[in-house]
Every structure is written in C-alpha cells, then in structure tokens.
Amino acid sequence: MSAVTEATVESATPVLEGVDLVKEFAGRTSLFGRASSKVRAVDGVTLRLHAGRTLGLVGESGSGKSTVGRLLLRLLDVTGGEVHLGADDVTRARGRDLNQARRAMQMVFQDPYSSLNPTMRIGDIIGEPVTFHRGLKGAELDAEVDRLLISVGLSPEHARRFPDEMSGGQRQRVAIARALAPDPKILVCDEAVSALDISIQSQILNLLLKLQREFGVAILFVSHDLSVVRHVSHEIAVMYLGQIVEFGPADRVADSPAHPYTAALLSAVPEAKPSHRRARQKVVLRGDPPSPSRRPAGCPFASRCPAAFEPCHETRPEHTPVNGGGTAACHLQTQGPKLGGRSLPIELLRARPDEAPSAAD
Ligand code: SF4
C-alpha cells in the first residue's frame, strides 16, 4: 500500500476525531477499603479518521489502544478531551443524539464466537440493526440482508443458519455484515483477526480492504500485531502506556521506525524468509511497562528502552517531525546522536552486554 504524506491527510476533514482524549479508571480498593490512585489508561491521545482510509492503532496488551477505540465510539465516557463526529461534538451526547452517532460508528470485535447471539439466525442478526437504524421491513429488509451477505462473500442461503453452523471466518464475515448494516461512516476493528487462523486472517483483511473501497468507510484497525496493521493501514499510530509515541504513513513507520518502541514491536514480528530473518535484528526490551497509576516523570518508555540516555529519565519527549512523514516522541530525534528526523540506526537499539534477559525474546 502506498504511503501518503501527513499533509495530504491533514488537508481533508476527518469523519471522526478524538482530541486530547483522557480516560481514568478507579484504582483497586484494598482490604481496608482504601482506594489506590486512579489508573490513567489513556493520556492525551489525539486521532483523526478520514473517509476511505485506515488508521492502524498498534501497541502491546494494556497500552490503552482498545480503550481509545471505545472512547471514540462513545462506548465509554471520556475523563477529558472531546469526540467530534464530522462537525458535531458528540462527547456528551445522550439519548437520541447518541443513537444517531452510534449508527455512524460500528465495531467489529475480536471473537466471532462470542460476539454473535447463538440463538438467532444469521438473517436476524444482520437484519435487526437494518430495521432499528434504517426502518426497513418485509421484502426490503430481506433484500438488504441478502445484499449484505453477498458483499461479505457469503450467500443468501446463509441467512437461515445459526452461528454454530458456521466456521470462524464465516462468523467474522457475519460480524462485519452486521457492522455494515446501519450504513456506518466508521468501522472500529478491535483485534478483528487475532482469533482466526493465519490463512483466514488474510481473507478477512482483504475483505475489509474491498469493503472500504466499495463503501468508503473510515477504519480504525486496532491490533497488537504490527505486520497485520501494516497490511491494511494508510497511517499507523503506535501506543505505549496510554500515549501515542509515533505516528506516520504506514510504510514509513513499518520500514523506518523512529521510536525505539516501534522498532521493538517490529522486531518481534516473525519473518518468514531466512534471508530477511538474518537482516532483521532483534530489539531487546527489558522488564515490564511501568504502572499507569505511577507514571515516570520522563519518557514513559525509559525503563525498558535500550537506547535511553540522561534526559530520558527527567524530561518527557515532545513529538517532533520525522523524515518521510509523521512524528515521534523521542529525545533521540532532537538530542544525543542528533538523528534530526532520521530513522533509528540499529546500533542504538542493541542490548548492552550487562543487561538483564529480554522480556521480548
Ligand atoms: Fe528511549 Fe529516550 Fe527515546 Fe524514550 S526518549 S524512547 S527512553 S531514547
């Protein structure tokens, strides 16, 4: 997929925008009834989705990426920040306004086994949101269900089946048809292929790309797997400890990461070809992420970063532009070896000999 410049994307009006999103959850309560400090799962995230384009949101489990998807869809209330659906501020929409907003924003979940009601026929699973959001009934409804089934590569005969009569890939196609039923502008796919076999994954990813071309939907593709995200995304945002640490055109981020955390995610992707395996060096991460309730003063990645140097532990890095498009929040771009917008030389990311065994090995 060809890379685009951020300027191209920035010039178009977003269909959905999260501005400076913050989400805090209550901390655990101790045996003595004392609540611990709040956990900040999302910390100042700004994202924009554009019609006909896919933004990949990637990070480890616990990075806050799924919470961002739920904030954008208004499935969770924000602690801070705003959600704009086109020109409308829907941050605090309720009742009818919220229903209208939700028609425009649909979600495809990870597990096609638990996300479909096992007691309903496929035709009813897809038809219910068509009737609820668009008011179609009778022959019109049947025709629309058939059209949706065909658009996701199933046949009208599948309408009579129950979910447990279908394979995992077929169920995920049903889940996508159901998400498209209200005629949405935005799809959030949360680990939508993670539960599927590799061979089925590529079929579903190609289906999403085809549907995006046909329907022009904006897609937020949330995943822990950078290789999968790269396959479907125009731009990629990388999350660590509730913050975006790198953003840019998909090819630039995946080929020339500017943030050590992105480089670590990339090096964890299994490489099929032995020659490429030798060329790709493993970036070693130490330890676990810090607790979101006790954020470090400096770079949130400093305790695990193989390239950390003095300023990293004291000063939080700001996002700065990277050659090839996008930004990265890393002091290496402005201080130390003076990368000045260039991507990371691998020497900076090799483990030091005295370091503890890797958490990413
Ligand atoms: Fe590593 Fe420092 Fe960059 Fe953070 S700011 S990613 S610790 S080099």
Side-chain angles (χ1 to χ4, degrees):
M1 184 170 294
S2 63
V4 293
T5 64
E6 197 184 349
T8 309
V9 174
E10 288 293 314
S11 62
T13 307
V15 288
L16 183 66
E17 182 179 33
V19 182
D20 207 11
L21 296 175
V22 174
K23 182 63 184 176
E24 290 179 341
F25 294 103
R28 287 208 191 113
T29 307
S30 73
L31 277 178
F32 308 105
R34 197 181 294 165
S36 64
S37 53
K38 287 186 174 162
V39 174
R40 186 168 278 222
V42 175
D43 188 13
V45 166
T46 295
L47 288 177
R48 296 180 181 93
L49 301 184
H50 297 265
R53 303 190 69 82
T54 300
L55 173 63
L57 188 57
V58 68
E60 292 168 293
S61 166
S63 60
K65 58 191 189 304
S66 292
T67 306
V68 168
R70 283 164 171 74
L71 292 175
L72 287 170
L73 293 188
R74 289 294 330 278
L75 297 174
L76 286 173
D77 285 334
V78 302
T79 307
E82 294 179 353
V83 180
H84 297 159
L85 179 61
D88 299 328
D89 183 344
V90 296
T91 315
R92 280 165 194 86
R94 294 275 180 266
R96 233 176 103 204
D97 291 344
L98 184 55
N99 273 344
Q100 272 186 349
R102 287 206 172 129
R103 176 181 170 178
M105 311 186 286
Q106 294 293 313
M107 190 154 188
V108 179
F109 295 93
Q110 173 177 359
D111 186 358
Y113 292 88
S114 62
S115 67
L116 303 179
N117 185 337
T119 66
M120 288 174 72
R121 290 187 193 275
I122 300 304
D124 295 329
I125 289 173
I126 298 171
E128 197 174 58
V130 174
T131 300
F132 181 78
H133 289 288
R134 297 162 59 193
L136 300 190
K137 291 182 182 152
E140 269 190 326
L141 174 61
D142 292 343
E144 181 60 6
V145 169
D146 289 354
R147 187 188 71 83
L148 285 163
L149 282 168
I150 291 167
S151 75
V152 297
L154 296 171
S155 82
E157 284 78 58
H158 285 108
R160 300 185 53 75
R161 296 200 194 167
F162 289 96
D164 66 2
E165 295 172 326
M166 304 185 86
S167 68
Q170 287 176 325
R171 289 183 202 208
Q172 201 58 316
R173 288 173 190 269
V174 171
I176 293 169
R178 181 182 58 179
L180 290 172
D183 200 13
K185 293 182 180 152
I186 299 125
L187 272 188
V188 173
C189 300
D190 189 0
E191 301 281 9
V193 297
S194 304
L196 303 174
D197 291 346
I198 297 280
S199 58
I200 308 295
Q201 280 189 10
S202 60
Q203 292 175 20
I204 297 297
L205 294 175
N206 288 333
L207 172 65
L208 286 170
L209 292 173
K210 174 183 102 70
L211 293 172
Q212 185 172 59
R213 283 195 298 274
E214 279 176 25
F215 295 98
V217 287
I219 297 179
L220 179 68
F221 194 88
V222 179
S223 175
H224 68 284
D225 188 334
L226 188 48
S227 64
V228 170
V229 166
R230 178 197 190 158
H231 183 68
V232 292
S233 302
H234 296 86
E235 287 84 33
I236 294 176
V238 181
M239 276 193 80
Y240 185 78
L241 207 66
Q243 298 178 335
I244 305 286
V245 295
E246 181 162 9
F247 169 80
D251 289 348
R252 201 282 293 153
V253 172
D255 288 338
S256 309
H259 194 285
Y261 178 60
T262 314
L265 287 181
L266 196 64
S267 78
V269 173
E271 180 54 73
K273 293 185 185 162
S275 55
H276 289 200
R277 230 178 276 152
R278 275 194 298 278
R280 183 186 286 169
Q281 306 221 24
K282 191 119 183 135
V283 178
V284 177
L285 292 185
R286 298 160 287 152
D288 297 314
S291 163
S293 61
R294 265 181 265 125
R295 290 172 174 276
C299 173
F301 191 49
S303 61
R304 302 173 79 196
C305 179
F309 59 118
E310 294 85 60
C312 305
H313 299 283
E314 284 137 31
T315 315
R316 182 158 294 193
E318 299 290 332
H319 274 266
T320 53
V322 175
N323 285 352
T327 61
C330 174
H331 288 309
L332 289 172
Q333 295 297 324
T334 51
Q335 302 180 46
K338 294 278 182 209
L339 293 181
R342 287 186 294 119
S343 59
L344 292 169
I346 194 70
E347 297 74 42
L348 279 173
L349 301 174
R350 287 203 182 109
R352 286 166 232 146
D354 57 339
E355 283 173 354
S358 154
D361 274 343

